């Protein structure tokens, strides 16, 4: 099990994203773990990962950043590549003595025409820019400085990570404490400039072929492949199986009739968590799972959340003074789409009336601010007139 929840502490170890043959953790796993800790609870996340799928790392970063409590991320062993992106979500990023952090450019492989390769270049450039924004926000560096670090593939000791702004402090271990954590299993030869001790460790512990051992897997380039892998292979090949982490049981397990019902419950929980991530509302996962909703009910709620967020965005185009977090506030209050429309309607009318130059209302009603905003709002949102 690569995700462990113990009270307000979460342990994440292994590869970032489900690559089918390694021990791993996914965004769904992390969302479920955070839900078990509790939305507003402070949390300590112990991270030990050589990286994996870049976009999965970004999704996990977003899920942790959206958590309501204070986040302390302790890098134990290593946080490289996509795992270093995850580490940036911490309010307090702590390096264990002897741990390593690495940042570099995402990479991928392409098979196809010139157009296919050009699309890959565009995708990797956009991904690198997004990752640089995450690093820059944490470190306080300019984006171009971070991009230079990424291109150079820098490996940092705890002190170097703190000096560079990628971490906040080095953990002080008490005498007699447990031995320093070792880097998690990974083929570190896939990187461009890995420390010799990691390469030797990979050889000594037979980690060197882990990333190439899956039957019918595509060839992996010299650097770590971070291009998100498809859930279905190209062409007519068989779909690769997905094995949800056993950590899902920590959130959804209760008295079960049999093993098959447990498997179904875990699969539903994982699907609900993924729906929340894909719908742009990762924080909703803990609420939906706590309520025990079905996948169908979750889809309906997530769809309604999307509509509310769209309505808020539309209203803010008319009145930019409306708070950007208004949608999240109404969702937390459990408002329906119709109730959200009503709230926005009232706020827009109030704002229009405040800015009206004259209180005189012409007979045709064209100068009536309320009538004007009603017309705009109904036309934009399809809202129906409310009964007097």
């Amino acid at each position: 099990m690569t995700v462990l929840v113990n009270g307000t502490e979460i342990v994440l170890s292994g590869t970032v994203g489900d690559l089918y043959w390694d021990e791993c953790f996914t965004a769904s796993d992390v969302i479920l773990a955070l839900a078990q800790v509790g939305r507003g609870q402070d949390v300590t996340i112990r991270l030990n990962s050589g990286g994996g799928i870049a976009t999965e790392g970004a999704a996990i970063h977003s899920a942790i950043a959206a958590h309501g409590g204070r986040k302390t991320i302790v890098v134990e062993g290593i946080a490289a590549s996509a795992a270093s992106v995850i580490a940036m979500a911490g309010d307090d990023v702590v390096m264990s003595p002897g741990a390593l952090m690495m940042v570099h450019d995402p990479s991928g492989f392409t098979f196809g025409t010139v157009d296919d390769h050009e699309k890959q270049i565009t995708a990797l450039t956009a991904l690198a820019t997004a990752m640089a924004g995450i690093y820059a926000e944490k470190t306080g560096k300019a984006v171009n400085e971070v991009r230079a670090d990424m291109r150079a593939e820098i490996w940092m000791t705890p002190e170097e990570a703190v000096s560079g702004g990628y971490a906040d402090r080095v953990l002080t271990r008490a005498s007699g404490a447990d031995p320093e954590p070792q880097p998690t299993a990974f083929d570190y030869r896939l990187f461009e400039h890995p420390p010799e001790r990691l390469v030797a460790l990979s050889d000594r512990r037979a980690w060197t072929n882990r990333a190439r051992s899956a039957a019918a897997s595509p060839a992996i380039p010299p650097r770590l492949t971070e291009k998100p892998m498809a859930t279905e292979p190209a062409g007519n090949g068989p779909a690769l199986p997905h094995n949800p982490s056993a950590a899902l049981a920590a959130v959804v397990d209760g008295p079960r009739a049999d093993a098959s019902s447990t498997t179904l419950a875990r699969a539903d929980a994982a699907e609900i968590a993924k729906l929340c991530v894909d719908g742009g509302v990762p924080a909703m996962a803990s609420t939906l799972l706590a309520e025990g909703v079905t996948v169908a009910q979750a889809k309906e709620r997530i769809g309604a959340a999307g509509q509310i967020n769209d309505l808020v965005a539309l209203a803010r185009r008319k009145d930019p003074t409306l708070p950007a977090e208004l949608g999240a506030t109404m969702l937390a209050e459990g408002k329906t789409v119709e109730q959200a429309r009503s709230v926005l309607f009232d706020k827009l009318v109030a704002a229009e009336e405040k800015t009206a130059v004259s209180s005189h209302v012409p007979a045709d009603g064209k100068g009536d601010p309320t009538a004007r905003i009603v017309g705009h709002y109904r036309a934009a949102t399809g809202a129906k007139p409310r009964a007097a």
Side-chain angles (χ1 to χ4, degrees), residues 8 18 21 24 26 59 85 93 154 167 172 187 201 217 240 246 256 269 275 287 291 295 301 316 336 342 356 362:
T8 58
D18 194 345
W21 57 87
C24 64
T26 67
V85 174
V93 180
I154 60 170
T172 302
D187 186 355
L201 191 64
S217 65
L240 294 172
R256 303 293 182 189
L275 287 169
T287 300
E291 293 177 7
V295 172
R301 293 271 291 277
R316 292 188 75 243
T336 65
S342 179

Side-chain angles (χ1 to χ4, degrees), residues 308 311-316 318-319 322 326 330 335-354 368-388:
I308 289 174
L311 288 171
V312 170
L314 186 63
R316 292 188 75 243
K318 182 66 179 175
D319 179 11
L322 290 175
L326 182 56
M330 290 193 289
K335 284 187 166 47
T336 65
V337 174
E338 290 305 319
Q339 289 170 333
R341 279 199 180 101
S342 179
V343 169
L344 292 170
F345 175 86
D346 291 341
K347 289 183 178 295
L348 289 175
V349 168
E352 187 78 8
E353 288 177 340
K354 284 181 182 179
D368 182 354
T370 302
R372 186 165 61 253
I373 193 63
V374 167
H376 289 319
Y377 185 71
R378 287 179 187 162
T381 67
K384 298 179 181 178
R386 291 192 294 168

Side-chain angles (χ1 to χ4, degrees), residues 211-263:
R212 297 182 175 90
S213 62
S217 65
I220 295 181
R223 281 190 291 172
L224 173 67
T225 296
E226 288 191 309
K227 184 180 187 301
M229 297 183 69
T231 54
E232 294 182 3
N236 298 317
L240 294 172
H242 173 72
N243 297 314
S245 167
L248 301 179
V251 178
V252 301
D253 270 359
R256 303 293 182 189
D258 52 35
S260 62
S261 62
T262 301
T263 303

Side-chain angles (χ1 to χ4, degrees), residues 1 3-11 28-43 67 245-254 269 273 282-290:
M1 179 166 60
V3 179
L4 175 67
V5 182
N6 182 15
T8 58
E9 183 175 278
I10 299 172
V11 179
S28 296
D29 294 336
V30 175
I31 289 172
L32 291 168
L34 290 170
Q36 184 178 355
V37 169
R39 178 181 296 176
Q41 293 291 324
D42 293 348
V43 62
H67 182 72
S245 167
L248 301 179
V251 178
V252 301
D253 270 359
M284 276 189 71
S286 58
T287 300
L288 297 177
L289 293 172

